[in-house]
Amino acid sequence: MIPFFLLLLLLQSTSFSIHAILDPIDFLALQAIRKGLDDLPGSNYFASWDFTSEPCNFAGVYCDGDKVIALNLGDPRAGSPGLTGNLDPSIGKLSALAEFTVVPGRITGALPESFSQLNKLRFLGVSRNFLSGDIPASLGLLRELQTLDLSFNQLTGSIPWAIGALPALSNIILCHNHLSGSIPPFVSQRLTRLDLKHNALSGTLLPNSFPSSLQYLSLSWNQFTGPVDYQLSRLNQLNYLDLSLNRFSGCIPGILFTFPLTNLELQRNQFSGPVLPISEVRIPTVDISFNRFFGEISPLLCNVENLYLNNNRFTGEVPALLVERLLSSGIQVLYLQHNFLTGIEINPRVEIPVSSSLCLQYNCMIPPVESACPLKAGKQKSRPTNQCVEWKGQQNKNTTTG
């Protein structure tokens, strides 16, 4: 299917003609691109690329008059083996190109610097291949670029600051690479999706790292450190947030729980402090496990469907509202294991709904009901008494000195 904005270009162009002869520079560029690539076994994409005929009729080639405006390399059908080879620098000669994509395959080598010459490029997508080397800083010259997707490759080096400064970006997808170093501030007020998960990125986040337009943010499986409360409090349009498996620290702002999130994934960090939503939480999945949160569990979390609070330092009794919601199947997952909780009001003979999971192991109480816990919770039902006494003493001391 031809992208909508390309249809508009074709319809609006007064010079468009199905009989137009391709610009010789574009013709030679397509020949060079073809020489650098081949079909993988089982793919027949290049069968239509016969240069004795009109290249604008080739599979994946879209023209406006005598210029190529979109190049979608490879068979887009699900399960197609894709292409192999390298991307030829002649791509930069396609001066009217607005879209460039490659289907998943085995394309290797670096992303050509010549992409920076494509000043009309809006969409650049080469994911699930074997690209290596650095992301060219010269991509920062592409002022009209809206989507940059280089995910699932073998790219190394840092994310160029020039890319963060691009004004029209709405989607940046660089996940599943080997990128390292700190990230630049992303300034585009159109940016809605930023996916940097599964890299080796590190450092602290700058106060202006993200625009308030963000709706999807994933930084999981990296090595980020430091607090994020200021940055997060500004992102009130988020519907997905995943900061898991980093070394973020500090508290999380209560206002975060009011955002229109479907998933809040903060697990396996070094966050600390109390968890204090400012109103009833309507986020379907909240995972703040494996952190250092402390204090009592807020009853305002009772409407969360999947609630992972395990492996923290929560104290006190489990709120009655959470128990009620669990028994009425309103909560599907309630993981409270490995905390310092001291009680839960629940009938020992009650049956936990089949659709719900409760785990209470390794707290400062004997679980009053038998429930199936994940294997990683261990076999020990209760936390050793000396740990509970020490933790209570430490908390009392903090309260007195505070």
Side-chain angles (χ1 to χ4, degrees), residues 44-66:
N44 200 32
Y45 168 73
F46 281 122
S48 69
W49 281 50
D50 177 3
F51 284 93
T52 63
S53 61
E54 174 52 48
C56 289
N57 296 325
F58 292 177
V61 178
Y62 302 93
C63 300
D64 178 9
D66 65 344

Side-chain angles (χ1 to χ4, degrees), residues 171-190:
N171 299 283
I172 304 175
I173 308 169
L174 301 175
C175 59
H176 292 269
N177 278 287
H178 307 298
L179 300 171
S180 58
S182 58
I183 63 172
F186 296 94
V187 303
S188 172
Q189 294 303 311
R190 303 177 189 177

Side-chain angles (χ1 to χ4, degrees), residues 362-379:
Y362 211 73
N363 277 286
C364 297
M365 61 176 173
I366 298 174
V369 291
E370 288 291 331
S371 57
C373 287
L375 290 176
K376 291 182 179 179
K379 297 180 179 180

Side-chain angles (χ1 to χ4, degrees), residues 37 93 146 220 251 257 396:
L37 297 170
K93 299 289 182 62
Q146 297 173 8
S220 65
C251 61
F257 293 97
N396 290 338

Side-chain angles (χ1 to χ4, degrees), residues 342-357:
T342 52
I344 179 172
E345 288 191 20
I346 188 170
N347 188 329
R349 292 187 294 274
V350 74
E351 288 191 11
I352 307 297
V354 176
S355 61
S356 299
S357 298

Side-chain angles (χ1 to χ4, degrees), residues 81-132:
L83 308 176
T84 183
N86 302 94
L87 297 178
D88 192 275
S90 295
I91 290 169
K93 299 289 182 62
L94 300 173
S95 58
L97 199 66
E99 176 177 326
F100 180 83
T101 64
V102 182
V103 300
R106 298 193 65 84
I107 290 178
T108 58
L111 194 70
E113 290 272 357
S114 59
F115 270 102
S116 63
Q117 302 169 24
L118 304 174
N119 56 17
K120 295 182 180 179
L121 196 65
R122 301 181 194 176
F123 192 107
L124 174 54
V126 188
S127 64
R128 296 182 184 275
N129 276 276
F130 291 83
L131 292 179
S132 57

Side-chain angles (χ1 to χ4, degrees), residues 271-302:
F271 289 118
S272 60
V275 177
L276 301 172
I278 61 176
S279 60
E280 279 194 4
V281 180
R282 299 287 179 179
I283 305 170
T285 297
V286 173
D287 191 342
I288 59 174
S289 61
F290 292 92
N291 278 288
R292 301 171 183 177
F293 293 117
F294 57 80
E296 297 189 349
I297 296 173
S298 172
L300 295 173
L301 294 167
C302 68

